[in-house]
Amino acid sequence: MTSGTPRTLRTLNEGAVLDALFRHGPLTRPEIEQLTGLSKPAAARLLLRVEEAGVVVRDGERASRSGPPAQVWRANPRAALVAGITVTAERIAAEVCDLDGSPLGEASADNTVTDAAQIAPALRALLEAALTDCGADVAQVRDVTIGVPGVIDPIPGVLRHSGRLPAWVGVDVIGLVAAELPGTTVYTANDVGLVLIAEAEFGAARDAASVVLVWVGSGIKAAFLRDGELMLGPHGSAGEIGSVIVPAFDVVPDRSSERSRAVPGGGVLLEQLLQPSALQALELPAIADRLAVAVSSAAALLDPERVVIAGSLSDAYGTALADAVQERLGFLPHDRPDVRCGELGARAQVRGAVCLSQRSARARLVGAGSLADVVLPVSAR
């Protein structure tokens, strides 16, 4: 039996109701009672209280087999706003959504950041631009996820290595942005990991329990998702498969960098095998040969249910590339993973960032100390 103070029990009950509405959509009070175990009087009082706080709203009525129509309740999607920001060497883009994931605004700009002091003001300005059309204020954004290319330390969320964003490396981006946006929870995430989260939620990986995503564009990276959890590794470098040593094929090894000169055995780094300059003169079969090296390595180590190929290479060749790679995995002595191409294209990363922010905001509302304390006074849509 659960025990506690009236305030604690009230908070737990509020969270249970919100969780039911987020999971199941609009519900009548009897349905809420059945899902949460609340009594009729308790459910009625609680719904009025969270309605006053702006967390839930009335959503019409539903016919009843016996008695008058029942009032329908739903979670208020505008109880909090969330945002996703993606950063590349060339551009920064932002999208703001409500708790249902419905887009409210977006904006993008050239990445002109050259030192740490410019990061937070640049991101705030972009969020303000994204909010212009919907008339909301940046203070209403409760969760922001920032996607960046490179290796992120999982504990402090600091970018440890990125050849494309030198001004961001070693910088406490979370602390700077949180100070610029008081009351907002800020996260950083690897860009390819966000692509996989989006594909798992909306795209080619949505019905698979374990997925490896191989992203090929300006370089090659990977991400691994098992039972909804993104595997990062203790150093945050899981998925940096560009450093894997592979046969050279007909690639002339580039020994100009210290890292490349240290490659043993006459092979090349996988990133050299699949860099754009090495692929541009090749036809699809030869490209699939090289990509199968990366996919087979991931399949042998992780035994995923599915492999998703994403990035500009996938966008260019589509399902023909996935089919060709699938065919080349026939040599594997175990069950081959299902190989598919990503479905979300260039918007996958920002959709993954919004998805993480949305999950965080919902979880905070469900487990908040007091919903009235954390929900902003915004009107229902």
Side-chain angles (χ1 to χ4, degrees), residues 91-182:
R91 302 284 290 176
I92 304 177
E95 181 173 301
V96 179
C97 297
D98 63 18
L99 288 178
D100 282 342
S102 300
L104 300 177
E106 60 182 42
S108 63
D110 291 339
N111 185 356
T112 59
V113 172
T114 56
D115 63 67
Q118 299 172 342
I119 293 175
L123 299 189
R124 180 189 178 98
L126 199 63
L127 285 176
E128 290 174 340
L131 289 164
T132 300
D133 290 341
C134 68
D137 185 84
V138 71
Q140 295 171 233
V141 178
R142 302 311 300 264
D143 290 79
V144 175
T145 298
I146 305 166
V148 293
V151 177
I152 298 174
D153 191 316
I155 303 302
V158 173
L159 186 63
R160 293 176 50 237
H161 170 75
S162 177
R164 299 179 62 79
L165 296 176
W168 300 61
V169 174
V171 176
D172 181 15
V173 173
I174 291 177
L176 291 174
V177 177
E180 186 76 22
L181 303 172

Side-chain angles (χ1 to χ4, degrees), residues 2-372:
T2 301
S3 62
T5 66
R7 178 182 176 86
T8 300
L9 294 176
R10 185 167 62 245
T11 298
L12 291 173
N13 290 338
E14 289 172 346
V17 169
L18 261 186
D19 186 56
L21 291 171
F22 280 137
R23 289 177 181 272
H24 301 283
L27 299 168
T28 64
R29 192 198 65 223
E31 290 170 335
I32 292 172
E33 294 166 9
Q34 184 176 12
L35 289 168
T36 62
L38 291 170
S39 66
K40 179 178 178 179
R45 289 194 302 269
L46 188 146
L47 284 168
L48 291 176
R49 185 164 60 247
V50 292
E51 180 188 28
E52 184 178 352
V55 183
V56 302
V57 292
R58 298 171 190 253
D59 193 29
E61 295 180 335
R62 187 179 300 164
S64 175
R65 291 183 178 180
S66 60
Q71 177 69 59
V72 177
W73 302 84
R74 65 180 174 92
N76 180 7
R78 294 293 292 269
L81 305 185
V82 299
I85 297 176
T86 59
V87 183
T88 69
E90 298 80 22
R91 302 284 290 176
I92 304 177
E95 181 173 301
V96 179
C97 297
D98 63 18
L99 288 178
D100 282 342
S102 300
L104 300 177
E106 60 182 42
S108 63
D110 291 339
N111 185 356
T112 59
V113 172
T114 56
D115 63 67
Q118 299 172 342
I119 293 175
L123 299 189
R124 180 189 178 98
L126 199 63
L127 285 176
E128 290 174 340
L131 289 164
T132 300
D133 290 341
C134 68
D137 185 84
V138 71
Q140 295 171 233
V141 178
R142 302 311 300 264
D143 290 79
V144 175
T145 298
I146 305 166
V148 293
V151 177
I152 298 174
D153 191 316
I155 303 302
V158 173
L159 186 63
R160 293 176 50 237
H161 170 75
S162 177
R164 299 179 62 79
L165 296 176
W168 300 61
V169 174
V171 176
D172 181 15
V173 173
I174 291 177
L176 291 174
V177 177
E180 186 76 22
L181 303 172
T184 300
T185 301
V186 183
Y187 305 90
T188 53
N190 173 265
D191 54 353
V192 176
L194 292 177
V195 172
L196 178 50
I197 287 171
E199 291 287 353
E201 188 76 14
F202 311 108
R206 58 183 169 270
D207 57 347
S210 61
V211 186
V212 168
L213 182 136
V214 178
W215 185 92
V216 186
S218 56
I220 179 167
K221 302 177 185 178
F224 180 47
L225 193 74
R226 181 181 292 278
D227 296 328
E229 182 179 357
L230 199 62
M231 303 290 105
L232 302 176
H235 306 103
S237 57
E240 294 294 315
I241 60 173
S243 299
V244 173
I245 301 171
V246 297
F249 284 73
D250 57 352
V251 175
V252 177
D254 177 8
R255 305 303 189 196
S256 59
S257 70
E258 182 178 348
R259 198 161 79 97
S260 296
R261 287 196 298 271
V263 173
V268 297
L269 297 177
L270 187 57
E271 64 186 18
Q272 293 179 313
L273 192 68
L274 289 166
Q275 62 185 342
S277 60
L279 299 178
Q280 60 186 5
L282 300 179
E283 299 294 333
L284 177 61
I287 293 173
D289 286 342
R290 298 187 179 197
L291 188 54
V293 173
V295 173
S296 63
S297 298
L301 286 172
L302 300 171
D303 188 25
E305 177 183 347
R306 183 166 301 158
V307 171
V308 175
I309 303 170
S312 57
L313 195 63
S314 170
D315 296 340
Y317 289 98
T319 56
L321 178 62
D323 292 343
V325 172
Q326 180 88 65
E327 181 182 356
R328 283 156 176 77
L329 298 182
F331 72 92
L332 292 174
H334 47 76
D335 292 338
R336 292 175 291 169
D338 175 28
V339 181
R340 301 187 186 183
C341 278
E343 298 177 2
L344 304 180
R347 293 191 56 78
Q349 186 186 152
V350 73
R351 292 190 71 179
V354 168
C355 185
L356 276 189
S357 294
Q358 179 189 30
R359 291 178 186 176
S360 172
R362 286 184 171 190
R364 187 175 301 103
L365 290 177
V366 168
S370 172
L371 294 174

